[in-house]
Coordinates of all heavy atoms in Angstrom, one line a residue:
R1345 N -14.5 -6.4 -9.0 CA -14.9 -7.6 -8.6 C -14.0 -8.3 -7.5 O -14.5 -8.8 -6.6 CB -15.0 -8.7 -9.8 CG -15.5 -10.0 -9.5 CD -15.9 -10.8 -10.7 NE -14.7 -11.1 -11.5 CZ -14.8 -11.8 -12.7 NH1 -16.0 -12.3 -13.1 NH2 -13.7 -12.1 -13.4
S1365 N -7.4 -13.7 -8.9 CA -8.3 -13.8 -10.1 C -7.5 -14.5 -11.2 O -6.5 -13.9 -11.8 CB -8.8 -12.5 -10.5 OG -9.7 -12.5 -11.5
Q1366 N -7.9 -15.6 -11.7 CA -7.3 -16.4 -12.7 C -8.3 -16.7 -13.8 O -9.2 -17.5 -13.6 CB -6.6 -17.6 -12.3 CG -5.4 -17.3 -11.3 CD -4.7 -18.6 -10.8 OE1 -5.4 -19.5 -10.3 NE2 -3.4 -18.7 -11.0
G1367 N -8.3 -15.9 -14.9 CA -9.4 -16.0 -15.8 C -10.8 -15.6 -15.2 O -10.8 -14.4 -14.6
E1368 N -11.7 -16.5 -15.1 CA -13.0 -16.1 -14.5 C -13.1 -16.9 -13.2 O -14.2 -17.0 -12.6 CB -14.1 -16.4 -15.4 CG -14.1 -15.6 -16.7 CD -14.1 -14.2 -16.4 OE1 -15.0 -13.8 -15.7 OE2 -13.3 -13.4 -17.0
A1369 N -12.1 -17.5 -12.7 CA -12.1 -18.2 -11.4 C -11.4 -17.4 -10.4 O -10.5 -16.6 -10.5 CB -11.4 -19.5 -11.6
A1370 N -11.9 -17.6 -9.1 CA -11.3 -17.0 -7.9 C -10.6 -18.0 -7.1 O -11.1 -19.2 -6.9 CB -12.4 -16.4 -7.1
V1392 N -19.6 -19.6 -1.8 CA -19.7 -19.9 -3.3 C -20.8 -19.2 -4.0 O -20.6 -18.6 -5.1 CB -20.0 -21.5 -3.3 CG1 -20.2 -21.9 -4.8 CG2 -18.7 -22.2 -2.8
F1395 N -19.8 -15.5 -4.5 CA -18.7 -15.3 -5.6 C -19.3 -15.5 -6.9 O -19.0 -14.9 -7.9 CB -17.5 -16.2 -5.2 CG -16.5 -15.5 -4.3 CD1 -16.9 -14.9 -3.2 CD2 -15.1 -15.7 -4.6 CE1 -16.0 -14.4 -2.3 CE2 -14.2 -15.1 -3.7 CZ -14.7 -14.5 -2.5
L1396 N -20.2 -16.5 -7.1 CA -20.8 -16.7 -8.3 C -21.7 -15.6 -8.8 O -21.7 -15.3 -10.0 CB -21.6 -18.1 -8.3 CG -20.8 -19.4 -8.1 CD1 -21.8 -20.6 -8.1 CD2 -19.8 -19.6 -9.3
E1397 N -22.3 -15.0 -7.9 CA -23.1 -13.8 -8.1 C -22.2 -12.7 -8.6 O -22.7 -11.8 -9.3 CB -23.9 -13.5 -7.0 CG -25.1 -14.4 -6.7 CD -25.9 -14.1 -5.4 OE1 -25.4 -13.1 -4.6 OE2 -27.0 -14.7 -5.2
L1398 N -21.0 -12.6 -8.2 CA -20.1 -11.6 -8.6 C -19.6 -11.8 -10.0 O -19.0 -10.9 -10.6 CB -18.9 -11.4 -7.7 CG -19.2 -10.8 -6.3 CD1 -17.9 -11.0 -5.4 CD2 -19.7 -9.4 -6.3
G1399 N -19.9 -13.0 -10.5 CA -19.4 -13.3 -11.9 C -18.2 -14.3 -12.1 O -17.9 -14.6 -13.2
Y1400 N -17.8 -14.8 -10.9 CA -16.8 -15.8 -11.0 C -17.5 -17.1 -11.4 O -18.6 -17.4 -11.1 CB -16.1 -16.1 -9.7 CG -15.2 -14.9 -9.3 CD1 -15.5 -14.1 -8.2 CD2 -14.0 -14.7 -10.0 CE1 -14.7 -13.0 -7.8 CE2 -13.1 -13.7 -9.6 CZ -13.5 -12.8 -8.6 OH -12.6 -11.8 -8.2
T1401 N -16.7 -18.0 -12.2 CA -17.3 -19.2 -12.6 C -16.9 -20.4 -11.7 O -17.5 -21.5 -11.8 CB -16.9 -19.5 -14.1 OG1 -15.4 -19.6 -14.1 CG2 -17.4 -18.5 -15.0
A1402 N -15.9 -20.2 -10.9 CA -15.4 -21.2 -9.9 C -14.7 -20.6 -8.8 O -14.1 -19.4 -8.9 CB -14.5 -22.2 -10.6
V1403 N -14.7 -21.2 -7.6 CA -14.1 -20.7 -6.4 C -13.2 -21.8 -5.8 O -13.8 -23.0 -5.6 CB -15.1 -20.2 -5.4 CG1 -14.4 -19.6 -4.2 CG2 -16.2 -19.3 -6.1
S1404 N -12.0 -21.5 -5.5 CA -11.1 -22.6 -4.9 C -10.4 -21.9 -3.7 O -10.3 -20.6 -3.6 CB -10.2 -23.2 -5.9 OG -9.2 -22.1 -6.3

Side-chain angles (χ1 to χ4, degrees):
R1345 182 166 63 179
S1365 184
Q1366 296 182 302
E1368 298 304 310
V1392 172
F1395 276 45
L1396 293 179
E1397 289 178 349
L1398 289 175
Y1400 289 109
T1401 58
V1403 186
S1404 64

